[in-house]
Amino acid sequence: MDQFQSPYFKTLKEFLVEEKKKYTLYPPGRLIFNAFQRTPFNRVKVVILGQDPYHGKGQAHGLCFSVPQGIPKPPSLVNIFKELQSDLGTPIPEHGSLEKWADQGVLLINATLTVRDSQAGSHQKRGWETFTNRVIEIVSQEKNGVVFLLWGRYAQAKESLIDGNRHLVLKAAHPSPLSAYNGFFGCRHFSKTNDYLEKHENTGIDWTL
């Protein structure tokens, strides 16, 4: 990806080097690009867009909405699992790791890939959004039949980057407790995703964790 050589990315790297001198950053450096390592481009079937990594110790591991095994499930993730159970009858998992989804082709990316400890949104507008917007555009332009799940207004603002003639875009309220009852619960995005994938001769996702 040519983005790593771009001037904006050089500036972003310089910013991160300085930040790391002063603050604890999440996720750990080796996990910043975890979503791309677990879900390589040729395997992407579904894209779920988040906003920021979790900013609590041990939570962020480079996959949006996901936390490593052994870390308590954040409220939005609890609501994702409630909707999954309602939609497909899937048991609510004991843990909050979505690695199994990523390994099946669900690209779990945040718009911003790093954050300061305890400071939500602290790395917004520093260049990450340029990078992740380009990722969305490349998936849209170079693949066919991908399902994009846009939960909440922030994610839905990315819809203009996606070719709706080639892909399925599903929109709902954010799963946060503040908004889940405004249309996230009952959206049935998990079954709709699999229906679409199977109609387009692709294997559905096993959403069970």
Side-chain angles (χ1 to χ4, degrees), residues 59-204:
Q59 290 182 304
H61 65 149
L63 306 175
C64 73
F65 293 109
S66 179
V67 290
Q69 297 213 20
I71 299 293
K73 291 174 280 191
S76 291
L77 186 57
V78 170
N79 286 338
I80 288 170
F81 290 156
K82 284 179 182 174
E83 174 57 24
L84 184 57
Q85 183 182 51
S86 169
D87 186 6
L88 295 174
T90 304
I92 292 179
E94 297 292 316
H95 62 84
S97 171
L98 305 181
E99 289 174 327
K100 184 180 170 187
W101 294 1
D103 293 343
Q104 294 179 77
V106 182
L107 183 62
L108 297 160
I109 55 165
N110 285 305
T112 305
L113 298 189
T114 55
V115 70
R116 288 180 195 164
D117 174 48
S118 306
Q119 294 187 47
S122 48
H123 285 183
Q124 290 178 5
K125 298 184 174 64
R126 292 290 185 169
W128 278 130
E129 294 90 343
T130 305
F131 175 77
T132 51
N133 283 353
R134 188 68 188 126
V135 169
I136 296 165
E137 288 174 336
I138 290 170
V139 171
S140 175
Q141 291 163 7
E142 298 188 12
K143 296 186 76 76
N144 285 299
V146 173
V147 183
F148 289 83
L149 304 183
L150 308 183
W151 297 337
R153 273 178 283 190
Y154 187 90
Q156 288 163 20
K158 309 287 185 182
E159 187 177 7
S160 61
L161 305 172
I162 304 162
D163 183 346
N165 295 315
R166 296 173 61 166
H167 307 283
L168 177 64
V169 177
L170 295 175
K171 296 183 284 187
H174 195 278
S176 157
L178 299 173
S179 55
Y181 287 96
N182 294 331
F184 180 75
F185 290 137
C187 70
R188 305 200 63 219
H189 278 187
F190 304 101
S191 59
K192 289 175 182 176
T193 293
N194 280 359
D195 288 345
Y196 178 86
L197 290 175
E198 286 157 14
K199 278 177 190 159
H200 287 74
E201 300 179 7
N202 217 329
T203 313

Side-chain angles (χ1 to χ4, degrees), residues 20-87:
K20 203 169 178 185
K21 291 175 184 174
K22 296 179 267 188
Y23 305 100
T24 298
L25 305 185
Y26 301 132
R30 64 189 169 79
L31 293 175
I32 290 172
F33 296 104
N34 195 21
F36 306 100
Q37 290 158 350
R38 295 202 82 113
T39 315
F41 180 79
N42 64 323
R43 297 188 60 199
V44 174
K45 299 179 183 179
V46 180
V47 179
I48 299 180
L49 294 175
Q51 186 167 354
D52 241 20
Y54 294 123
H55 55 266
K57 185 178 180 183
Q59 290 182 304
H61 65 149
L63 306 175
C64 73
F65 293 109
S66 179
V67 290
Q69 297 213 20
I71 299 293
K73 291 174 280 191
S76 291
L77 186 57
V78 170
N79 286 338
I80 288 170
F81 290 156
K82 284 179 182 174
E83 174 57 24
L84 184 57
Q85 183 182 51
S86 169
D87 186 6

